[in-house]
Amino acid sequence: MSQAGTCDPKDMLLSARGVFKTFGLNAVLKGIDLDVGKGEVLALIGGKGAGKSTLMKIIMGIYQPDEGELVIAGDKISSFKPSAILAKGVYMVPQEPMLFPNMTVEENVLIGFKENTGALRKRLIQIMDDIGWHLDLTRKAMSLSIAEQQLVEIAKALSCDARILIMDGPTASLTRNECLQLYRIAKDLRDKGVSIIFITHRFEDMYELATRVTVFRDSTYVGSWDVDKITNADLVKAMVGRELNS
């Protein structure tokens, strides 16, 4: 099971090196590494407590690492604040979207922008055309399915000129048809040069979307592999640290 190694340095968009994080006496990240290339879809896999979500919160500026460095688009991050990370083009689509239920789709996407409302609406419509998604902008968020709410979050990300999308368990609450729709949109974003990191426990998601997979185990980095060069058995072994008896 040979590793794929890291991204080509000239294509590197995000790099985390030697990241440590402790909460009290609990070490949740023990020297974690992560690389993401431009236009790459990277699957991040590991058991519960492996450190996946904690690292994503550090990348988003929610947590400050105890040690290690984060580089985005060639710039070393010194201010771990959500606003600073968002300004670098990183956006996280949560597993359970956090929309304002009584606001419309348009209001949820455009809240916080200071530009002219007409220009913003025109831009939003163009974004939706680009990803092939047409939802009534006047619908209230409370009327949307989880899949539709995720797409509103993606539209918000693209309105912020996101270059890196982080998706935490994006298919966990979706039907098969909704998964297929999300796959299509994610592939289209990838083709447009948007990089995607998605946390998943589903091998199907990995094979459908990702070109590389990174495995964490027990708060440590295990390795990264090309998806087409790793078997299910090898992947499970990487996740649990041993072969499982059939």
Side-chain angles (χ1 to χ4, degrees), residues 73-88:
D75 295 330
K76 184 176 178 179
I77 302 301
S78 57
S79 176
F80 284 84
K81 297 179 181 178
S83 58
I85 300 298
L86 182 61
K88 297 296 295 181

Side-chain angles (χ1 to χ4, degrees), residues 155-224:
K156 288 173 64 176
L158 298 178
S159 296
C160 295
D161 295 321
R163 292 183 290 176
I164 302 172
L165 278 182
I166 299 172
M167 307 183 78
D168 189 353
T171 62
S173 302
L174 305 188
T175 65
R176 174 60 180 166
N177 286 337
E178 289 170 340
C179 286
L180 292 176
Q181 181 185 33
L182 183 63
Y183 292 158
R184 179 188 61 77
I185 290 176
K187 289 175 181 176
D188 187 57
L189 294 175
R190 175 194 65 194
D191 293 342
K192 289 178 168 60
V194 177
S195 299
I196 301 174
I197 307 169
F198 70 96
I199 299 172
T200 186
H201 299 289
R202 291 162 46 106
F203 286 6
E204 180 184 2
D205 293 345
M206 179 192 73
Y207 288 122
E208 186 70 34
L209 288 175
T211 52
R212 279 197 312 130
V213 55
T214 291
V215 177
F216 292 174
R217 183 178 71 243
D218 298 330
S219 305
T220 63
Y221 169 84
V222 177
S224 295

Side-chain angles (χ1 to χ4, degrees), residues 126-143:
Q126 183 61 57
I127 287 170
M128 289 177 28
D129 285 341
D130 287 345
I131 62 177
W133 176 55
H134 304 284
L135 184 67
D136 183 353
L137 296 179
T138 65
R139 279 182 63 184
K140 294 291 182 70
M142 68 176 68
S143 74

Side-chain angles (χ1 to χ4, degrees), residues 1-48:
M1 185 172 63
S2 60
Q3 292 195 33
T6 59
C7 305
D8 188 320
K10 66 181 176 59
D11 293 327
M12 192 82 72
L13 186 56
L14 180 149
S15 178
R17 283 288 176 273
V19 178
F20 287 80
K21 184 64 180 178
T22 300
F23 294 104
L25 298 177
N26 183 26
V28 294
L29 295 177
K30 305 172 185 176
I32 288 286
D33 294 338
L34 188 76
D35 294 322
V36 183
K38 296 176 183 176
E40 177 179 30
V41 181
L42 178 74
L44 182 55
I45 291 180
K48 185 177 181 180

